[in-house]
Amino acid sequence: METVFTKIMHNQIPSVRLHEDELCIAILDISPVNKGHVLVISREPYPTIADCPVETLGHLMSVVKRIDAVLREKLHADATNIVINNGPAAGQEVPHLHIHVIPRHDHDGKRFIPPKEKYGEGELERMGKLLRLD
Ligand code: AMP
């Protein structure tokens, strides 16, 4: 499937590349939450992590770790948000697996935690039973 990111990989759309290897590329997001916002993108256009081999996911995270270090060193980021919008209901706009690495600075005023809910009586325990990995 063709996506904006496959077009970037095939040089049909320009991008600023920070890294590339056989499994992924890392580029600057064109509309950054903060300047220096990076996308680590799987070369294969897996729509979500459900479609992606675990070895590839592990490799993407190894690149995320390197990007995190660069953002801290070169931009003096105090922290990063590392985000996968994993499907359209989660706000994914480009259906091609990518990991956002967003530099954060103390008091930068950006918010990432959505409003939270509360569990009813016994609901937390029931949810735990339902979701436990076998
Ligand atoms: P998501 O909502 O998780 O699918 O994020 C898609 C991201 O891709 C957004 O943050 C966009 O700003 C970014 N994006 C879309 N087109 C481009 C492009 N041509 N170059 C760089 N980033 C892009």
Side-chain angles (χ1 to χ4, degrees):
M1 184 183 136
E2 191 170 73
T3 69
V4 63
F5 296 150
T6 59
K7 288 183 183 166
I8 283 173
M9 283 175 207
H10 297 136
N11 296 314
Q12 293 161 346
I13 296 178
S15 68
V16 174
R17 291 191 194 203
L18 309 183
H19 172 80
E20 56 188 308
D21 61 41
E22 68 284 0
L23 293 178
C24 70
I25 67 169
I27 66 169
L28 287 177
D29 194 304
I30 203 167
S31 304
V33 172
N34 278 329
K35 289 175 185 171
H37 177 163
V38 176
L39 302 173
V40 177
I41 306 168
S42 159
R43 278 206 185 268
E44 283 294 317
Y46 307 115
T48 68
I49 68 165
D51 310 289
C52 180
V54 71
E55 296 77 16
T56 303
L57 270 180
H59 178 73
L60 295 179
M61 284 309 292
S62 75
V63 174
V64 165
K65 185 172 165 68
R66 292 171 64 192
I67 297 290
D68 171 77
V70 165
L71 295 177
R72 289 171 191 268
E73 182 190 339
K74 306 281 181 163
L75 298 184
H76 308 292
D78 297 305
T80 55
N81 284 105
I82 296 167
V83 177
I84 301 176
N85 296 322
N86 197 36
Q92 185 181 18
E93 291 174 0
V94 180
H96 179 156
L97 178 62
H98 55 284
I99 306 175
H100 297 257
V101 191
I102 301 164
R104 296 298 306 278
H105 304 279
D106 291 340
H107 315 299
D108 66 12
K110 303 292 161 69
R111 288 173 161 267
F112 275 82
I113 305 297
K116 293 188 176 179
E117 299 197 18
K118 286 200 187 318
Y119 283 108
E121 182 72 29
E123 206 181 352
L124 182 69
E125 292 72 20
R126 284 198 298 279
M127 189 64 81
K129 282 190 185 136
L130 179 67
L131 301 182
R132 188 167 300 132
L133 302 186
D134 295 324

